[in-house]
Amino acid sequence: MTKRVHQDYFKRETAEVSQFVADLKDNSAPSGVFDSAAAEDFITESASRGDSKMPEKLATVLDEVGGEGKIKVTRAILDGISAFEGQHGTEPSADVIEQAIHSAYATTDDARRRFHLDSASSDHHDQISLQPNRAVIAILSAIGEAIPFAHYLPADIGSNEAILAIMTHDAGSTHGAYAEGAIMDGTHSGDSYISSSRVHKCTIAVDGEGEPTGAITGKLTTVQDSDETCAPASPGVKLLRGRSIVYVNGLVVGKEVDSSGTGNSTVSGTTVIEGTTYLIGGSINTDTGAIALTSTPALPVSVPVHVEGFIDYERDPSVTPRIISSVKTFRLNAKPWRVITQQTIDSRTQMANELGLDPYSESVIAIQAQFGNERHYETLLKAKRLAQNNQVDFDFDWDGQKQEKTLAQIWGDFASILAVVSQQMAIDTMNHGITHIYVGKNIAAQFMSLPRELFVPSGVVERPGIFRVGTLFGRYEVYYTPKVVVEGDTTAQILCIGRATDVTRNPFVLGDAVPPTVVPLAVNQDLKTGAGFYARNFTSVNPHGPSARGAAMINVKNLRH
């Protein structure tokens, strides 16, 4: 079953792609099977409607391929989505599909005229630019080879760069628990700032011999420097008169008795502690926040006394706090990828005649596989470097526990370790915890042996490269990788990566300025034929510090051997 994953789309174009693809899937398979006529009707109707939400770049692609090409492109989108679901057990996010559409757009005449990507000119068009197969390949490659934990940001074809914009929220003034400029996102959010309430744990005065005198003092100020106290050196505040509350041991024991006037406001109350009744008196100055209480008899020093007051913003509007929303932008620059493959006429004809193989086609397939694998491993290596910021050890202790516990029970204990690391990741990134795990063959094999309530296999047959093994503890997608993670006889690394809920907060942001393109090479006098492969893209660690901390490493020791 395909797992549904919540994603937030703050970019209008990406949100439109999400809605369009959902509508396309619903309308192209009304009976559960792809219906080309229904798909064509939906595409035609979407393009003709004034309120159409068809992505602009997709509309350009469909206009250029025309006729049967529209069905091929539409089918490519749906086939790419299906292939992704089969590989990863979840739907591709809209930014992945948007990148695929962007890649298809890069094959059009419109893109070539704008950005001079090939031989198209004002005098003559590129005679192969309207072939729908080029758009189809771009779409299938972009979706089918998408890295499961990455988010994609289409790069501008002309400038070869993408702009990553991150919204942050900061305190605009020193107020409550925040200093001016302090970040208010993620776990930094939620401390006292907007509320008018101020709480202060008062000081019980003592004499020269350390005995309480009955005097209880303190001050309510604009700055709440801890959960228990206000900063005494900060400016006092004007309080709502008649609203302050006195707490002893967390219980309400006294209140102001005056609801009008200025200056000191009388406080009255009583409390009973271990059979002794204490009378609470004194006053709170509602113009300065000064607290001057008394207790008769004197309260023990060990008894906590708190006073809560409420800022009167109408009497002093200048202390009203402000929240500043700002956007930080980062530029991600694309880099080129290129390789060529050539075959002599003799080798090509011999392989074709004796083996029935086309070395040209086989070489192109190998190039495409190398490109996809190389990019995936490059991203995993970057994740491994980032994981140094969040590392823990898990002592499997097989020799010490095998008499009392089964293999499954010990791996069950691993859930708590994983949860702690995941929560730390959520704190560090201010967005998300672990979603994907990469392991070697030994850990993958042990996971496969676990009962189904702990691990659900993906059903994907083993292969020499990266593939999804299954789902651990009902939430973590586990992938096998033959590279990057290191395994020993009794040790292993488990690389944990989190995929953010939106593109800008993901630890890894990928994008293509020019999609993977295969260009036939000219035949020279040596009669060698071949092809050139070219792509221009970026595979970047998020330059926003907190967002980049979405990787962790768990070092397992004392495994079963």
Side-chain angles (χ1 to χ4, degrees):
M1 176 182 290
T2 300
K3 184 169 70 174
R4 307 290 179 180
V5 179
H6 171 72
Q7 294 289 321
D8 294 320
Y9 303 117
F10 301 112
K11 183 182 169 189
R12 177 180 57 81
E13 292 85 351
T14 311
E16 288 178 356
V17 168
S18 177
Q19 185 59 55
F20 176 80
V21 170
D23 293 342
L24 175 62
K25 293 176 68 175
D26 291 341
N27 287 274
S28 298
S31 59
V33 180
F34 179 75
D35 185 335
S36 60
E40 186 172 10
D41 289 343
F42 173 74
I43 292 295
T44 302
E45 183 183 349
S46 296
S48 62
R49 282 204 311 260
D51 60 345
S52 170
K53 293 300 183 182
M54 177 184 288
E56 182 180 350
K57 290 180 180 178
L58 179 59
T60 300
V61 173
L62 296 177
D63 284 345
E64 291 202 13
V65 298
E68 289 295 322
K70 291 184 178 181
I71 297 302
K72 290 183 179 180
V73 171
T74 304
R75 185 64 183 263
I77 294 174
L78 297 174
D79 286 350
I81 293 172
S82 179
F84 187 95
E85 291 176 351
Q87 291 182 68
H88 306 294
T90 185
E91 293 181 340
S93 56
D95 60 276
V96 173
I97 302 171
E98 183 186 21
Q99 175 61 56
I101 293 171
H102 176 77
S103 296
Y105 171 73
T107 69
T108 64
D109 255 353
D110 183 71
R112 295 169 197 282
R113 283 192 298 268
R114 288 190 185 186
F115 306 111
H116 308 292
L117 294 182
D118 61 12
S119 58
S121 69
S122 59
D123 297 324
H124 191 269
H125 72 286
D126 175 9
Q127 56 266 34
I128 65 172
S129 65
L130 296 182
Q131 290 184 2
N133 287 345
R134 300 179 72 182
V136 168
I137 292 172
I139 291 171
L140 289 174
S141 297
I143 301 178
E145 296 174 3
I147 298 173
F149 57 82
H151 270 296
Y152 288 76
L153 186 66
D156 180 71
I157 297 173
S159 64
N160 295 314
E161 69 177 15
I163 296 178
L164 184 71
I166 295 181
M167 176 75 74
T168 61
H169 306 91
D170 305 323
S173 53
T174 298
H175 191 76
Y178 295 86
E180 183 176 357
I183 193 168
M184 303 185 76
D185 295 317
T187 55
H188 301 287
S189 175
D191 292 329
S192 176
Y193 191 68
I194 298 175
S195 171
S196 63
S197 172
R198 290 294 179 270
V199 176
H200 183 74
K201 183 178 181 181
C202 298
T203 300
I204 296 179
V206 295
D207 58 22
E209 297 180 355
E211 295 297 321
T213 64
I216 303 169
T217 61
K219 184 181 180 182
L220 297 175
T221 68
T222 56
V223 177
Q224 187 82 50
D225 63 353
S226 75
D227 294 338
E228 298 287 292
T229 59
C230 290
S234 298
V237 289
K238 297 185 184 300
L239 303 174
L240 292 172
R241 196 171 183 85
R243 297 287 301 279
S244 298
I245 304 170
V246 180
Y247 302 87
V248 172
N249 286 329
L251 300 174
V252 176
V253 299
K255 296 182 179 181
E256 288 181 63
V257 297
D258 297 332
S259 58
S260 61
T262 59
N264 290 330
S265 178
T266 303
V267 172
S268 178
T270 61
T271 185
V272 178
I273 301 176
E274 296 181 351
T276 302
T277 299
Y278 297 88
L279 301 178
I280 305 298
S283 65
I284 296 173
N285 192 311
T286 56
D287 292 334
T288 65
I291 302 167
L293 303 180
T294 60
S295 69
T296 306
L299 281 168
V301 175
S302 60
V303 175
V305 179
H306 293 79
V307 172
E308 180 181 20
F310 305 91
I311 300 172
D312 190 340
Y313 289 116
E314 291 188 350
R315 285 208 293 156
D316 188 3
S318 66
V319 300
T320 301
R322 296 177 297 137
I323 293 178
I324 306 299
S325 296
S326 59
V327 175
K328 296 181 179 179
T329 59
F330 305 91
R331 296 184 181 276
L332 307 177
N333 296 304
K335 65 183 179 184
W337 300 61
R338 65 168 64 190
V339 69
I340 61 172
T341 178
Q342 288 182 311
Q343 305 85 34
T344 66
I345 187 66
D346 294 317
S347 66
R348 185 168 185 175
T349 54
Q350 184 177 9
M351 292 181 70
N353 293 336
E354 296 181 9
L355 302 175
L357 297 175
D358 178 4
Y360 175 86
S361 299
E362 293 297 327
S363 297
V364 171
I365 292 172
I367 289 172
Q368 191 69 38
Q370 174 65 23
F371 171 73
N373 291 334
E374 192 172 331
R375 201 175 187 189
H376 203 151
Y377 288 127
E378 178 185 337
T379 311
L380 287 180
L381 285 170
K382 291 179 177 180
K384 187 175 182 179
R385 297 180 195 118
L386 287 174
Q388 298 179 63
N389 298 294
N390 186 5
Q391 286 196 76
V392 300
D393 293 335
F394 174 56
D395 189 355
F396 198 81
D397 191 21
W398 172 248
D399 290 336
Q401 298 193 80
K402 63 184 178 182
Q403 300 299 326
E404 291 82 22
K405 293 183 178 181
T406 64
L407 187 73
Q409 288 173 326
I410 300 176
W411 278 118
D413 296 339
F414 178 65
S416 61
I417 301 295
L418 200 54
V420 170
V421 175
S422 183
Q423 185 59 55
Q424 185 60 51
M425 182 183 293
I427 293 171
D428 292 341
T429 63
M430 301 186 292
N431 185 273
H432 62 276
I434 297 169
T435 56
H436 296 76
I437 294 173
Y438 282 76
V439 299
K441 64 179 184 298
N442 294 333
I443 296 293
Q446 293 200 28
F447 283 170
M448 287 290 290
S449 71
L450 297 178
R452 295 302 172 257
E453 61 266 22
L454 297 181
F455 187 82
V456 179
S458 67
V460 177
V461 178
E462 287 78 2
R463 59 187 66 173
I466 297 172
F467 70 95
R468 188 171 71 95
V469 182
T471 305
L472 182 66
F473 304 137
R475 54 182 295 194
Y476 306 105
E477 297 302 327
V478 179
Y479 286 76
Y480 162 75
T481 174
K483 302 177 186 290
V484 182
V485 296
V486 178
E487 288 189 329
D489 291 337
T490 60
T491 60
Q493 291 179 325
I494 296 178
L495 179 60
C496 307
I497 304 172
R499 191 174 196 268
T501 55
D502 68 276
V503 177
T504 60
R505 303 312 296 266
N506 206 58
F508 306 98
V509 183
L510 280 63
D512 292 342
V514 177
T517 303
V518 177
V519 181
L521 300 179
V523 180
N524 295 320
Q525 290 181 349
D526 57 9
L527 297 182
K528 289 183 178 180
T529 58
F533 175 90
Y534 180 76
R536 197 159 65 234
N537 60 45
F538 57 87
T539 305
S540 303
V541 173
N542 197 318
H544 179 244
S547 299
R549 300 173 75 92
M553 183 70 77
I554 299 177
N555 300 300
V556 186
K557 59 183 179 180
N558 297 318
L559 280 164
R560 184 180 67 175
H561 54 88

